[in-house]
Amino acid sequence: ITCHQHFNKYIIQWISKQFYSFNSITMNDHNYYTSKTYGPTDPMSKDLWVNVDQMDKEKVKIHGILSNTHRQAARVNLSFDFPFYGHFLRDLTVATGGFIYTGDVVHRMLTATQYIAPLMANFDPSVSRNSTVIYFDNGTALVVQWDHVHLQDSYNLGSFTFQATLHSDGRIVFAYKEIPIEVAQISSVNHPVKVGLSDAFVVVHRIQQIPNVRRRTIYEYHRVELTKTKITNSTAVEMMPLPTCLQFTSCSSCISSQINFNCSWCHRLRRCSSGFDRHRQDWVDNSCPDETKDKSCDIINTTQLYPFTTTLVAKTTGRSRGETTTARASLSTSLSPTSVPTEGKTTNVCPKAENSNYSAERKGTHPLHTGLILGILMVMLIMAATVLVTVYIYHHPTSAASLFFIERRPSRWPAMKFRRGSGHPAYAEVEPVGQEKEGFIESEQC
């Protein structure tokens, strides 16, 4: 009897443990987001599922192209600002592969980064008439539902029905209605299988050897990977955004912030950042990393310390090239000896010097003119040598020098493109037009 009681107690404890571990709310902290996973018996999993059939028929849209093609993506405009990793987005790209692309630069490898993926896989809505891609925007939330979609390489496994809801407060909900197999068993040979979020920043590099050609490199700075084993029928995942540096709009609130990031204020851009977000190129081009070494807001009061200065600064920052043009007006000649910081640079303004210093300055002008003349002579010699070499190559096309330059002419230089491997499928129909080179670099996870 004692053995029988212990056996029953052990069985009850084991069943309770399995039931609790499967149905309890799992919480995770991902620096930028906190996630909660609700089991199939939890009431929240049913509440988080949005029944599109009960929504306003005029606002529910079935995308005809996405519902009948494979590896297609289409742009969807939002009626509200959606905060994603601290950035406000107004348009997204919905893909047939069970994910939403959030990047501005549309390229072949949409599955690499900058995505919201409730279940990224090799779905092909064109293999079944019942497969549709539906989206619904009510002004405060966007619901995208992949309804009865099948895997292209495993049609017999059954259909999948799941959705992603993006709320105006930044909250993201993944809800699952039909998941016929374990997500871990879905093949990733022809398409990546991912569940989670990702964001990156794009850096544009000019190639000096080839005019009018730029290379875009994508750096992934953070990724949220959810547990695939908890994605089953009638489950849901809720992700809440955490505070980021981008939400602070003043220097004092930025440097005194108590969040998970090391926030710094850039006076040139008037922006608070940790240095790793979508504005990374502007942050570096404006020397913000050097400026933020001294965490102080005193530089803001320079205009109050020197009210008699008449400095006019006009700055235009290019969105893709990061070019900055700064115009400065002349300062008054009646200033006292001091230094005025302008746009991160120090311009020394001094009064008339004494006679001894003035004579020394005149003596130093002679070596300056000598160096300038030598520099002009060197440039002229180089130009003459270039002309002679060009004439020689033109009249002797079979010489070694001619063959050397012919083999290395720009039209024969190889173009760097994305690796088109099995794990990185190409969404070719959204490839941008123009001569641009692309690359992808995955940085360390934050």
Side-chain angles (χ1 to χ4, degrees):
I1 296 175
T2 303
C3 293
H4 182 70
Q5 291 176 348
H6 282 291
F7 178 78
N8 290 338
K9 183 179 179 181
Y10 172 79
I11 291 297
I12 293 174
Q13 290 178 352
W14 184 84
I15 294 176
S16 300
K17 183 179 179 181
Q18 297 298 319
F19 181 81
Y20 177 78
S21 63
F22 185 75
N23 294 279
S24 62
I25 300 175
T26 304
M27 298 183 61
N28 292 304
D29 189 358
H30 310 283
N31 291 339
Y32 288 88
Y33 289 87
T34 57
S35 65
K36 295 181 181 179
T37 304
Y38 300 96
T41 59
D42 196 292
M44 279 297 297
S45 61
K46 297 181 180 179
D47 296 338
L48 293 176
W49 175 265
V50 179
N51 192 347
V52 181
D53 297 333
Q54 297 179 357
M55 300 295 106
D56 188 358
K57 300 293 184 181
E58 296 180 355
K59 295 182 179 180
V60 177
K61 298 180 180 179
I62 300 177
H63 202 286
I65 298 177
L66 297 181
S67 301
N68 295 279
T69 54
H70 178 232
R71 288 184 183 175
Q72 179 82 20
R75 185 74 68 175
V76 175
N77 297 322
L78 301 177
S79 61
F80 57 91
D81 293 328
F82 171 65
F84 183 67
Y85 278 90
H87 307 90
F88 289 95
L89 307 180
R90 205 57 191 258
D91 52 77
L92 303 168
T93 302
V94 179
T96 56
F99 67 98
I100 301 172
Y101 177 70
T102 62
D104 295 329
V105 181
V106 181
H107 49 77
R108 296 185 186 93
M109 211 166 67
L110 297 185
T111 60
T113 183
Q114 293 183 299
Y115 56 76
I116 300 173
L119 181 52
M120 180 191 296
N122 192 22
F123 294 112
D124 186 2
S126 64
V127 300
S128 175
R129 294 182 178 180
N130 296 327
S131 300
T132 54
V133 178
I134 308 170
Y135 63 95
F136 167 75
D137 188 347
N138 64 355
T140 59
L142 172 71
V143 181
V144 181
Q145 180 171 320
W146 290 263
D147 192 72
H148 293 91
V149 293
H150 295 260
L151 295 170
Q152 187 191 49
D153 45 6
S154 301
Y155 178 84
N156 296 329
L157 294 178
S159 63
F160 294 73
T161 300
F162 55 93
Q163 61 183 210
T165 305
L166 314 181
H167 295 268
S168 58
D169 58 355
R171 186 165 54 101
I172 302 174
V173 176
F174 296 161
Y176 306 90
K177 186 177 182 181
E178 296 180 4
I179 305 295
I181 63 171
E182 294 183 5
V183 177
Q185 296 180 358
I186 300 176
S187 175
S188 60
V189 174
N190 297 321
H191 198 288
V193 179
K194 301 178 182 179
V195 180
L197 311 174
S198 171
D199 198 25
F201 56 85
V202 181
V203 178
V204 180
H205 304 277
R206 289 185 179 181
I207 302 179
Q208 299 179 356
Q209 295 84 351
I210 308 177
N212 300 326
V213 175
R214 297 176 299 168
R215 179 170 60 88
R216 287 172 174 169
T217 306
I218 302 177
Y219 295 84
E220 184 183 50
Y221 65 88
H222 189 262
R223 180 186 298 179
V224 176
E225 295 181 347
L226 301 178
T227 305
K228 298 179 182 178
T229 55
K230 294 185 178 295
I231 305 303
T232 59
N233 292 334
S234 303
T235 57
V237 180
E238 185 180 21
M239 284 169 284
M240 301 293 295
L242 294 174
T244 63
C245 299
L246 297 175
Q247 72 183 40
F248 301 104
T249 57
S250 65
C251 178
S252 58
S253 62
C254 176
I255 63 177
S256 61
S257 60
Q258 300 293 330
I259 59 177
N260 293 331
F261 302 98
N262 186 16
C263 300
S264 301
W265 180 262
C266 182
H267 296 279
R268 289 189 176 185
L269 298 177
R270 300 191 62 82
R271 181 185 300 154
C272 183
S273 174
S274 62
F276 290 92
D277 52 49
R278 295 197 177 191
H279 306 295
R280 170 69 179 179
Q281 185 167 11
D282 289 342
W283 189 264
V284 175
D285 291 344
N286 288 275
S287 302
C288 292
D290 298 332
E291 180 183 328
T292 55
K293 290 180 180 179
D294 183 15
K295 290 192 173 183
S296 175
C297 297
D298 296 338
I299 193 172
I300 298 178
N301 299 323
T302 54
T303 56
Q304 299 177 0
L305 294 175
Y306 309 102
F308 45 80
T309 60
T310 57
T311 303
L312 176 63
V313 179
K315 183 176 67 174
T316 303
T317 305
R319 183 177 181 181
S320 59
R321 298 182 181 179
E323 298 176 355
T324 305
T325 304
T326 306
R328 297 180 179 88
S330 60
L331 298 176
S332 174
T333 57
S334 62
L335 302 180
S336 59
T338 182
S339 60
V340 181
T342 304
E343 289 296 303
K345 297 182 180 180
T346 303
T347 305
N348 293 324
V349 183
C350 300
K352 294 182 180 180
E354 296 181 356
N355 294 332
S356 58
N357 295 333
Y358 180 71
S359 60
E361 182 180 357
R362 292 187 60 187
K363 291 180 182 179
T365 58
H366 181 68
L368 178 62
H369 289 298
T370 304
L372 181 61
I373 294 173
L374 291 176
I376 294 174
L377 291 176
M378 289 294 296
V379 172
M380 294 178 64
L381 289 175
I382 294 173
M383 293 177 62
T386 303
V387 172
L388 292 176
V389 171
T390 304
V391 172
Y392 175 80
I393 292 175
Y394 179 78
H395 291 284
H396 300 81
T398 59
S399 62
S402 300
L403 296 176
F404 177 83
F405 285 104
I406 289 174
E407 292 177 355
R408 289 160 177 81
R409 65 184 184 273
S411 61
R412 296 180 61 87
W413 290 351
M416 297 174 59
K417 295 187 180 295
F418 279 123
R419 300 185 300 271
R420 300 175 64 88
S422 59
H424 301 288
Y427 282 73
E429 48 276 349
V430 292
E431 182 179 353
V433 180
Q435 292 182 337
E436 292 186 351
K437 298 184 176 183
E438 300 160 345
F440 173 74
I441 296 177
E442 182 177 351
S443 60
E444 294 182 0
Q445 301 299 313
C446 299

